[in-house]
Each structure stands twice: as structure tokens, then as C-alpha cells.
Amino acid sequence: MKKPSSRTMKTLKVIHFVGVTVWVSGVICTLVILSALSQQTSHEGILALLSLIELADYLLIIPGATICYLLGTAYGLFTVWGFVKHKWIIFKWILYSIACIPAMIFALPLVKAMRQFVLLNEVTAAAVPEFQNMLAILGALSSCILVIAVVITMISVTKPFKKRKT
């Protein structure tokens, strides 16, 4: 397999770094908004913060995660790293899938369900038990994604399963 040029690899690394930064920033934004949402005492405020969570998902999390996925695929297909040559890359892919697949399936539908619940029940405080349960689920999901993203970053830096040259 032809090895990409140094310039190409640097460009890929920069794009990958931007993608990871955007993805993780979106998750952090979601957690910050969730903490503000749990203190909200107005109907309009709750709806506005739910809209901000959706916006963070559409503008930060989805594009950042997509960039990471596409670049991971490019690394796997077009570099000497390959998909199965290094255990640390396989481990990153598994963790990335664990972080992203549940988020893709549950996060936005949960936010939309929260909005519907607020609208149908005219919720004026986030302290309503059913709403608190949905908030806790979304918070736990976002927290897990953030922890996994940090672990993935640590794996990228340390390459723990990499064969060492002696």
C-alpha cells in the first residue's frame, strides 16, 4: 500500500483534530445546557434550552462525529495503519461505536420527546419527575460519551497495545 505523503498526513491529522474538537465541544455544550435546564423555572426557558441542545447536536456533535468516522475510515483504508493491524485502532473503533451508536439512536429522539412532554403538559419547571427522568437519561448518555471521548484521546496519544521496537 502506498504511504501518504507527510503533507497529506499532516492535513488529515489537523482535520481529525478539528473533528474531535467539534464533537467533544458539542457534548460538553450539551452537558452545560442540561445543567442549566435542570434549574429552569419557565416554560419558554425549558423549550429554548431544548432547542439549544438540538442545535448543538446538529451543528457540532453530528458533523464532528462524522468527520471522525470518515477520517478513521480513510486512515484504515489509505494508510499503513490499516483497520486490524494495530489493536489500539480496533479498540478506538469499538469505543467510538459504543459512544456514537446509542447517541444516534436515542439522543435526538429523547430531546424531541422532552419537548413534546413540555408542550403537552405545559411544564413550567424542570423539577417535574418525568421530565427529570428524561433529563437524567440524556445527562448520563452525554457523560458517558464524554468519558469515552477522553479515553479514545488517551488511546490515540499513548497507543497502549502498540508493539514496541526493542
Side-chain angles (χ1 to χ4, degrees):
M1 174 170 293
K2 184 180 175 190
K3 189 173 180 180
S5 70
S6 162
R7 182 180 175 125
T8 302
M9 285 306 294
K10 285 180 184 177
T11 303
L12 284 175
K13 286 179 183 180
V14 167
I15 294 170
H16 185 71
F17 179 75
V18 169
V20 170
T21 303
V22 169
W23 175 46
V24 172
S25 297
V27 174
I28 292 170
C29 285
T30 299
L31 286 167
V32 169
I33 296 166
L34 284 172
S35 69
L37 186 58
S38 67
Q39 305 300 315
Q40 197 53 242
T41 58
S42 77
H43 183 75
E44 294 79 17
I46 292 171
L47 291 173
L49 290 173
L50 287 171
S51 293
L52 283 176
I53 290 172
E54 273 189 271
L55 199 60
D57 209 5
Y58 284 121
L59 295 179
L60 298 172
I61 296 171
I62 293 171
T66 302
I67 289 169
C68 292
Y69 176 77
L70 292 175
L71 279 175
T73 302
Y75 282 143
L77 294 175
F78 305 116
T79 68
V80 294
W81 289 342
F83 279 111
V84 293
K85 187 174 180 182
H86 300 287
K87 291 177 187 169
W88 63 273
I89 293 175
I90 296 168
F91 192 53
K92 278 178 56 172
W93 270 92
I94 291 168
L95 287 176
Y96 183 79
S97 298
I98 289 170
C100 288
I101 291 171
M104 290 186 297
I105 295 170
F106 298 114
L108 275 177
L110 183 57
V111 172
K112 291 177 183 187
M114 291 168 76
R115 180 191 317 280
Q116 283 300 106
F117 182 81
V118 169
L119 290 170
L120 291 175
N121 297 297
E122 297 181 16
V123 174
T124 57
V128 174
E130 294 89 353
F131 189 76
Q132 281 290 324
N133 291 341
M134 290 185 272
L135 245 153
I137 292 168
L138 190 57
L141 179 62
S142 299
S143 297
C144 288
I145 291 168
L146 184 59
V147 167
I148 290 171
V150 168
V151 171
I152 289 171
T153 302
M154 290 171 34
I155 291 169
S156 294
V157 172
T158 62
K159 297 170 184 53
F161 309 114
K162 187 176 181 180
K163 295 176 185 170
R164 304 286 180 213
K165 294 180 182 176
T166 55

